[in-house]
Amino acid sequence: ASDTKRTTELRDIVNADVTIEMSATPKIQPTPQELAKGTAKYIYVDPKDVIEEGMIKKEIIINEGIKNLVTDENTSQDVILEAAYHKRNELKKSFEAIGSEINPLCLIQLPNSEAGDSKREVIEAFLAERGITETNGKLDFWLHGEDKESLEDITDNDNTIEYLVFKLAIDTGWDCPRAHILVKLREIGSPTFEVQTVGRILRMPEQFHYEDESLNTGYIFTNLESITVAKEEYNPNIIKHLKAELRKGIENVELMS
Protein backbone atom coordinates (compact mmCIF):
# COMPACT_ATOMS: atom_id res chain seq x y z
CA ALA A 1 0.00 0.00 0.00
CA SER A 2 1.32 3.40 -0.95
CA ASP A 3 0.34 5.15 2.29
CA THR A 4 2.04 2.90 4.85
CA LYS A 5 4.74 4.44 7.01
CA ARG A 6 7.50 2.22 5.60
CA THR A 7 6.45 2.88 1.99
CA THR A 8 6.45 6.63 2.59
CA GLU A 9 9.95 6.42 4.11
CA LEU A 10 11.25 4.48 1.10
CA ARG A 11 9.66 6.91 -1.34
CA ASP A 12 11.31 9.83 0.44
CA ILE A 13 14.71 8.07 0.36
CA VAL A 14 14.48 7.21 -3.36
CA ASN A 15 13.15 10.69 -4.19
CA ALA A 16 12.20 9.56 -7.70
CA ASP A 17 11.61 12.04 -10.52
CA VAL A 18 8.55 10.06 -11.63
CA THR A 19 6.06 8.20 -9.44
CA ILE A 20 3.37 5.92 -10.89
CA GLU A 21 0.62 4.79 -8.55
CA MET A 22 -1.70 2.03 -9.76
CA SER A 23 -4.71 1.60 -7.50
CA ALA A 24 -8.50 1.52 -7.44
CA THR A 25 -8.24 3.92 -4.50
CA PRO A 26 -5.23 6.19 -5.21
CA LYS A 27 -3.66 7.93 -2.22
CA ILE A 28 -1.34 10.35 -4.02
CA GLN A 29 -3.37 13.44 -4.94
CA PRO A 30 -1.82 15.79 -7.51
CA THR A 31 -2.22 19.50 -6.85
CA PRO A 32 -4.15 21.72 -9.31
CA GLN A 33 -0.84 23.35 -10.23
CA GLU A 34 0.75 19.98 -11.09
CA LEU A 35 -2.24 19.04 -13.24
CA ALA A 36 -2.22 22.42 -15.00
CA LYS A 37 1.51 22.25 -15.75
CA GLY A 38 1.26 18.65 -16.95
CA THR A 39 3.73 17.33 -14.36
CA ALA A 40 0.97 15.05 -13.02
CA LYS A 41 -2.09 13.40 -14.52
CA TYR A 42 -4.74 10.75 -13.96
CA ILE A 43 -5.20 7.80 -16.33
CA TYR A 44 -8.59 6.18 -15.78
CA VAL A 45 -9.26 2.54 -16.69
CA ASP A 46 -12.96 1.72 -16.96
CA PRO A 47 -13.76 -1.35 -14.78
CA LYS A 48 -15.88 -2.69 -17.65
CA ASP A 49 -12.67 -3.00 -19.63
CA VAL A 50 -11.07 -4.85 -16.70
CA ILE A 51 -13.97 -7.32 -16.70
CA GLU A 52 -13.81 -7.80 -20.47
CA GLU A 53 -10.08 -8.52 -20.17
CA GLY A 54 -10.90 -11.32 -17.73
CA MET A 55 -9.04 -9.76 -14.82
CA ILE A 56 -12.01 -9.64 -12.45
CA LYS A 57 -15.25 -11.58 -12.03
CA LYS A 58 -18.38 -10.71 -13.99
CA GLU A 59 -20.65 -10.52 -10.95
CA ILE A 60 -21.00 -11.13 -7.23
CA ILE A 61 -24.09 -12.98 -5.97
CA ILE A 62 -25.28 -12.62 -2.36
CA ASN A 63 -26.94 -15.63 -0.68
CA GLU A 64 -27.32 -17.76 -3.79
CA GLY A 65 -29.87 -20.52 -3.30
CA ILE A 66 -31.00 -19.31 0.12
CA LYS A 67 -34.71 -18.50 -0.06
CA ASN A 68 -35.32 -17.42 3.53
CA LEU A 69 -33.03 -16.89 6.47
CA VAL A 70 -34.66 -17.74 9.78
CA THR A 71 -34.59 -15.08 12.49
CA ASP A 72 -32.72 -17.24 15.00
CA GLU A 73 -29.09 -16.11 14.71
CA ASN A 74 -27.48 -19.46 15.49
CA THR A 75 -29.63 -21.28 12.95
CA SER A 76 -29.14 -18.63 10.26
CA GLN A 77 -25.40 -18.85 10.88
CA ASP A 78 -25.49 -22.59 10.26
CA VAL A 79 -27.48 -22.01 7.06
CA ILE A 80 -24.92 -19.68 5.50
CA LEU A 81 -21.95 -21.77 6.63
CA GLU A 82 -23.53 -24.86 5.09
CA ALA A 83 -24.28 -22.97 1.86
CA ALA A 84 -20.70 -21.68 1.65
CA TYR A 85 -19.30 -25.15 2.37
CA HIS A 86 -21.27 -26.75 -0.47
CA LYS A 87 -20.49 -23.88 -2.87
CA ARG A 88 -16.74 -24.22 -2.23
CA ASN A 89 -16.93 -27.95 -2.91
CA GLU A 90 -18.87 -27.29 -6.14
CA LEU A 91 -16.29 -24.75 -7.32
CA LYS A 92 -13.42 -27.14 -6.52
CA LYS A 93 -15.06 -29.86 -8.63
CA SER A 94 -15.67 -27.38 -11.46
CA PHE A 95 -11.99 -26.38 -11.47
CA GLU A 96 -10.96 -30.04 -11.46
CA ALA A 97 -13.33 -30.70 -14.37
CA ILE A 98 -11.38 -28.26 -16.56
CA GLY A 99 -8.03 -29.62 -15.40
CA SER A 100 -7.20 -26.67 -13.17
CA GLU A 101 -5.21 -27.00 -9.93
CA ILE A 102 -6.91 -23.96 -8.36
CA ASN A 103 -8.11 -24.58 -4.81
CA PRO A 104 -10.88 -22.00 -4.22
CA LEU A 105 -10.56 -20.14 -0.93
CA CYS A 106 -13.47 -19.23 1.34
CA LEU A 107 -13.01 -16.14 3.53
CA ILE A 108 -15.01 -15.99 6.76
CA GLN A 109 -15.25 -12.58 8.43
CA LEU A 110 -16.04 -12.53 12.13
CA PRO A 111 -17.82 -9.57 13.73
CA ASN A 112 -15.35 -7.00 15.02
CA SER A 113 -16.56 -7.36 18.60
CA GLU A 114 -16.41 -9.75 21.56
CA ALA A 115 -19.11 -11.81 19.87
CA GLY A 116 -16.54 -12.68 17.21
CA ASP A 117 -14.61 -14.87 19.67
CA SER A 118 -17.59 -17.11 20.42
CA LYS A 119 -18.46 -17.32 16.73
CA ARG A 120 -14.90 -18.45 16.02
CA GLU A 121 -15.48 -21.50 18.23
CA VAL A 122 -18.72 -22.29 16.39
CA ILE A 123 -16.99 -22.04 13.01
CA GLU A 124 -14.10 -24.23 14.13
CA ALA A 125 -16.54 -26.90 15.35
CA PHE A 126 -18.62 -26.69 12.15
CA LEU A 127 -15.56 -27.17 9.92
CA ALA A 128 -13.98 -29.82 12.15
CA GLU A 129 -17.09 -31.99 11.72
CA ARG A 130 -16.34 -31.88 7.99
CA GLY A 131 -12.65 -32.75 8.33
CA ILE A 132 -11.35 -29.18 8.00
CA THR A 133 -8.89 -28.16 10.73
CA GLU A 134 -5.72 -26.16 11.33
CA THR A 135 -3.93 -29.44 12.00
CA ASN A 136 -4.48 -30.82 8.50
CA GLY A 137 -3.73 -27.45 6.88
CA LYS A 138 -7.20 -26.75 5.46
CA LEU A 139 -8.12 -23.99 7.94
CA ASP A 140 -6.21 -20.96 9.15
CA PHE A 141 -6.80 -17.72 11.05
CA TRP A 142 -5.62 -14.18 10.39
CA LEU A 143 -6.51 -12.12 13.44
CA HIS A 144 -5.33 -8.73 14.66
CA GLY A 145 -2.92 -8.30 11.74
CA GLU A 146 -0.63 -11.07 12.94
CA ASP A 147 2.13 -12.38 10.68
CA LYS A 148 1.96 -16.16 10.39
CA GLU A 149 4.38 -18.41 8.57
CA SER A 150 1.49 -20.68 7.55
CA LEU A 151 -0.04 -17.81 5.54
CA GLU A 152 3.04 -17.00 3.47
CA ASP A 153 1.95 -19.14 0.51
CA ILE A 154 -1.83 -18.78 0.88
CA THR A 155 -2.05 -16.79 -2.36
CA ASP A 156 -0.69 -19.73 -4.38
CA ASN A 157 -3.47 -21.21 -6.52
CA ASP A 158 -2.83 -24.76 -5.25
CA ASN A 159 -2.34 -23.86 -1.57
CA THR A 160 -4.02 -26.36 0.76
CA ILE A 161 -5.83 -23.78 2.93
CA GLU A 162 -9.54 -23.91 2.05
CA TYR A 163 -10.91 -21.52 4.72
CA LEU A 164 -9.38 -18.35 6.15
CA VAL A 165 -11.08 -16.78 9.17
CA PHE A 166 -10.36 -13.13 9.90
CA LYS A 167 -11.79 -10.45 12.15
CA LEU A 168 -10.65 -7.08 10.89
CA ALA A 169 -11.00 -6.11 7.25
CA ILE A 170 -8.26 -7.65 5.13
CA ASP A 171 -5.73 -5.08 3.96
CA THR A 172 -6.67 -3.31 0.74
CA GLY A 173 -3.44 -4.41 -0.93
CA TRP A 174 -3.87 -8.11 -0.11
CA ASP A 175 -4.05 -9.99 -3.38
CA CYS A 176 -5.29 -13.60 -3.39
CA PRO A 177 -7.07 -14.27 -6.72
CA ARG A 178 -8.17 -17.78 -5.68
CA ALA A 179 -10.41 -16.25 -2.97
CA HIS A 180 -13.87 -17.02 -4.33
CA ILE A 181 -16.36 -16.93 -1.43
CA LEU A 182 -16.93 -14.46 1.42
CA VAL A 183 -18.95 -15.39 4.50
CA LYS A 184 -19.89 -12.30 6.52
CA LEU A 185 -21.48 -13.02 9.88
CA ARG A 186 -24.05 -10.71 11.46
CA GLU A 187 -22.77 -7.73 13.42
CA ILE A 188 -24.09 -4.45 14.77
CA GLY A 189 -25.28 -2.21 11.96
CA SER A 190 -25.99 -2.98 8.33
CA PRO A 191 -22.81 -2.65 6.26
CA THR A 192 -23.22 -1.46 2.71
CA PHE A 193 -21.89 -3.86 0.10
CA GLU A 194 -19.90 -2.12 -2.61
CA VAL A 195 -17.17 -3.13 -4.99
CA GLN A 196 -14.47 -2.15 -2.46
CA THR A 197 -16.11 -4.36 0.19
CA VAL A 198 -16.04 -7.44 -2.02
CA GLY A 199 -12.72 -6.66 -3.68
CA ARG A 200 -10.99 -9.64 -2.05
CA ILE A 201 -13.15 -12.10 -4.02
CA LEU A 202 -13.38 -10.08 -7.22
CA ARG A 203 -10.15 -11.11 -8.92
CA MET A 204 -9.87 -13.97 -11.43
CA PRO A 205 -7.26 -16.59 -10.43
CA GLU A 206 -5.79 -17.02 -13.92
CA GLN A 207 -6.69 -13.59 -15.38
CA PHE A 208 -9.23 -14.93 -17.86
CA HIS A 209 -12.86 -16.02 -17.80
CA TYR A 210 -13.94 -19.66 -18.07
CA GLU A 211 -16.68 -21.33 -20.10
CA ASP A 212 -18.26 -22.38 -16.80
CA GLU A 213 -19.91 -19.14 -15.65
CA SER A 214 -19.98 -20.28 -12.01
CA LEU A 215 -16.20 -19.81 -12.01
CA ASN A 216 -16.60 -16.23 -13.27
CA THR A 217 -18.83 -15.38 -10.31
CA GLY A 218 -17.99 -14.46 -6.72
CA TYR A 219 -20.24 -15.53 -3.86
CA ILE A 220 -21.19 -13.87 -0.57
CA PHE A 221 -23.16 -15.59 2.17
CA THR A 222 -24.38 -13.43 5.04
CA ASN A 223 -27.02 -13.49 7.76
CA LEU A 224 -27.27 -9.71 8.02
CA GLU A 225 -30.84 -8.66 8.68
CA SER A 226 -30.78 -6.15 5.84
CA ILE A 227 -28.52 -5.99 2.81
CA THR A 228 -27.69 -2.66 1.22
CA VAL A 229 -25.84 -2.46 -2.08
CA ALA A 230 -24.24 0.83 -3.05
CA LYS A 231 -25.06 2.29 -6.45
CA GLU A 232 -22.39 1.26 -8.92
CA GLU A 233 -21.82 3.98 -11.47
CA TYR A 234 -19.40 2.11 -13.70
CA ASN A 235 -21.09 -1.27 -13.97
CA PRO A 236 -24.65 -1.38 -12.60
CA ASN A 237 -25.78 -4.55 -10.86
CA ILE A 238 -22.45 -6.35 -10.57
CA ILE A 239 -23.39 -7.10 -6.92
CA LYS A 240 -26.67 -8.99 -6.99
CA HIS A 241 -28.78 -9.56 -3.89
CA LEU A 242 -32.41 -9.27 -5.05
CA LYS A 243 -34.14 -12.54 -5.94
CA ALA A 244 -37.05 -13.15 -8.31
CA GLU A 245 -38.93 -16.38 -8.98
CA LEU A 246 -41.42 -17.20 -11.73
CA ARG A 247 -44.89 -17.54 -10.26
CA LYS A 248 -46.45 -20.97 -10.66
CA GLY A 249 -49.16 -21.34 -13.29
CA ILE A 250 -47.69 -18.76 -15.68
CA GLU A 251 -47.99 -19.84 -19.31
CA ASN A 252 -45.65 -18.72 -22.04
CA VAL A 253 -47.02 -16.02 -24.33
CA GLU A 254 -46.39 -16.26 -28.08
CA LEU A 255 -46.76 -13.02 -30.04
CA MET A 256 -47.78 -12.93 -33.67
CA SER A 257 -45.07 -10.40 -34.49
Side-chain angles (χ1 to χ4, degrees):
S2 63
D3 60 339
T4 62
K5 181 179 179 182
R6 185 59 180 155
T7 304
T8 303
E9 290 175 355
L10 289 171
R11 196 165 60 234
D12 291 341
I13 292 171
V14 174
N15 193 27
D17 294 326
V18 178
T19 300
I20 300 175
E21 181 185 21
M22 293 186 291
S23 173
T25 54
K27 301 294 188 301
I28 302 173
Q29 299 296 327
T31 65
Q33 292 85 349
E34 290 172 330
L35 293 171
K37 290 191 297 183
T39 56
K41 67 180 296 186
Y42 289 104
I43 298 176
Y44 176 75
V45 179
D46 194 316
K48 285 184 178 179
D49 295 334
V50 183
I51 292 175
E52 290 175 2
E53 286 292 328
M55 297 297 292
I56 61 177
K57 295 182 175 70
K58 295 180 179 180
E59 60 184 9
I60 302 290
I61 298 179
I62 300 179
N63 286 351
E64 182 195 56
I66 299 178
K67 291 185 178 181
N68 296 301
L69 275 174
V70 292
T71 54
D72 178 76
E73 184 168 348
N74 291 332
T75 306
S76 67
Q77 185 172 277
D78 290 341
V79 169
I80 63 170
L81 287 173
E82 190 74 36
Y85 170 76
H86 287 297
K87 176 54 68 174
R88 204 210 74 85
N89 289 345
E90 287 177 14
L91 293 172
K92 176 60 176 173
K93 290 178 181 177
S94 295
F95 277 119
E96 290 174 347
I98 61 173
S100 175
E101 63 181 9
I102 293 167
N103 188 27
L105 177 67
C106 177
L107 304 174
I108 302 178
Q109 184 172 10
L110 299 174
N112 188 24
S113 63
E114 292 182 4
D117 296 328
S118 60
K119 290 183 185 296
R120 169 180 175 168
E121 296 176 4
V122 172
I123 291 168
E124 281 190 273
F126 174 89
L127 294 174
E129 289 177 2
R130 291 153 181 80
I132 300 160
T133 65
E134 277 192 279
T135 305
N136 62 20
K138 294 183 178 182
L139 169 66
D140 216 322
F141 295 86
W142 189 7
L143 304 172
H144 311 298
E146 60 190 358
D147 292 325
K148 296 178 65 176
E149 188 175 329
S150 59
L151 295 177
E152 289 182 1
D153 300 322
I154 192 172
T155 59
D156 294 347
N157 282 338
D158 60 350
N159 186 270
T160 59
I161 297 174
E162 298 175 356
Y163 294 83
L164 176 64
V165 179
F166 65 100
K167 198 167 186 178
L168 299 174
I170 292 180
D171 291 340
T172 308
W174 190 70
D175 185 19
C176 184
R178 73 182 182 95
H180 216 120
I181 301 169
L182 171 64
V183 174
K184 191 171 180 63
L185 298 178
R186 184 180 296 167
E187 57 188 318
I188 297 173
S190 300
T192 299
F193 287 95
E194 51 190 6
V195 172
Q196 288 83 354
T197 308
V198 303
R200 305 286 71 77
I201 61 169
L202 201 56
R203 295 173 173 86
M204 290 299 297
E206 297 180 285
Q207 291 77 55
F208 61 80
H209 292 144
Y210 305 96
E211 289 187 17
D212 185 342
E213 291 295 348
S214 70
L215 302 179
N216 303 326
T217 304
Y219 302 90
I220 296 175
F221 296 97
T222 181
N223 60 346
L224 293 173
E225 291 182 355
S226 61
I227 299 173
T228 305
V229 175
K231 181 181 179 182
E232 305 155 51
E233 296 180 3
Y234 73 87
N235 190 33
N237 204 30
I238 189 175
I239 305 175
K240 299 178 177 179
H241 71 292
L242 300 176
K243 305 177 187 69
E245 293 183 3
L246 189 64
R247 201 168 54 200
K248 292 182 179 179
I250 299 296
E251 296 182 3
N252 192 30
V253 177
E254 294 185 9
L255 301 178
M256 295 295 292
S257 66

